[in-house]
Amino acid sequence: MASEKILEQKQKEVAELAAKMKDASLVLLVNYRGINVADDTALRKSVREVGAEYSVIKNNIIRRALKECGHDFETLEGPSAVIIAQEEYLPALKAIYKFSKENEFYTMKGGVLEGKVSEVEELMTLAQLPSREELIAKLAGCLLANVSKLAATLDAVRVKKEEAGE
């Protein structure tokens, strides 16, 4: 039987993880199997650069913390890593998606997005969306194209009126 000191330590780990999860915009669970040290270091750096936290934690601790947050997560098998984003979730999700596309062995298990349990398919779809900046640039491009067309049309009307002597 585990000593009381060990149990207290594990309860403390669960409470700390649950506190982070409750405030998070994204809690992403990924398969940690098969990653080498160089790739792990690069992935941790890319996740840190977007303001998220990357940790390898025992499944029992993860499961209990999720349960404490009111989430039941069934697919926790094999080694797991947890990515927690407190602010914006999309940059962290994109970083993990990009890494998983480059490394087939690295897969998402699911997660909690804005307080709601999300399946892998939903997370993958969101990760593939353009960033806010990309969407704004596309919108600006469309608006400029339409303004240019409008200006050309108005100029053609002006020329036609001048030719008609109006």
Side-chain angles (χ1 to χ4, degrees):
M1 186 167 155
S3 73
E4 239 178 84
K5 189 174 182 178
I6 292 172
L7 285 175
E8 286 177 17
Q9 177 62 31
K10 289 187 180 205
Q11 288 172 342
K12 182 181 174 187
E13 285 180 51
V14 168
E16 288 174 359
L17 184 58
K20 287 180 186 178
M21 288 178 170
K22 284 178 184 171
D23 297 332
S25 64
L26 172 70
V27 176
L28 184 61
L29 305 170
V30 294
N31 183 7
Y32 189 70
R33 183 175 290 140
I35 191 169
N36 62 39
V37 174
D39 287 341
D40 184 57
T41 303
L43 179 59
R44 286 176 186 269
K45 183 180 181 226
S46 69
V47 168
R48 204 173 319 120
E49 285 173 351
V50 295
E53 183 182 323
Y54 183 100
S55 306
V56 176
I57 302 172
K58 290 185 176 189
N59 287 341
N60 279 337
I61 303 288
I62 297 169
R63 195 175 288 114
R64 290 171 193 248
L66 284 167
K67 191 167 245 170
E68 200 170 297
C69 293
H71 305 297
D72 194 22
F73 206 87
E74 300 294 323
T75 58
L76 278 178
E77 295 175 8
S80 299
V82 179
I83 293 88
I84 298 177
Q86 297 298 333
E87 301 296 322
E88 285 189 55
Y89 60 83
L90 199 54
L93 196 53
K94 283 182 170 295
I96 296 300
Y97 175 76
K98 180 182 178 207
F99 186 81
S100 69
K101 289 312 258 179
E102 296 168 357
N103 301 280
E104 292 178 11
F105 61 86
Y106 200 79
T107 56
M108 293 183 205
K109 294 181 177 184
V112 178
L113 185 63
E114 298 287 337
K116 178 183 158 260
V117 174
S118 300
E119 298 295 323
V120 174
E121 295 78 23
E122 180 182 359
L123 296 169
M124 297 279 271
T125 300
L126 283 172
Q128 295 174 58
L129 289 175
S131 70
R132 182 173 189 255
E133 291 77 20
E134 289 175 82
L135 290 173
I136 289 172
K138 286 180 181 181
L139 177 62
C142 288
L143 290 175
L144 284 175
N146 288 333
V147 168
S148 297
K149 287 179 186 175
L150 177 62
T153 304
L154 290 174
D155 190 48
V157 168
R158 180 189 57 81
V159 169
K160 202 171 200 179
K161 283 187 175 188
E162 284 177 359
E163 289 174 354
E166 293 179 20

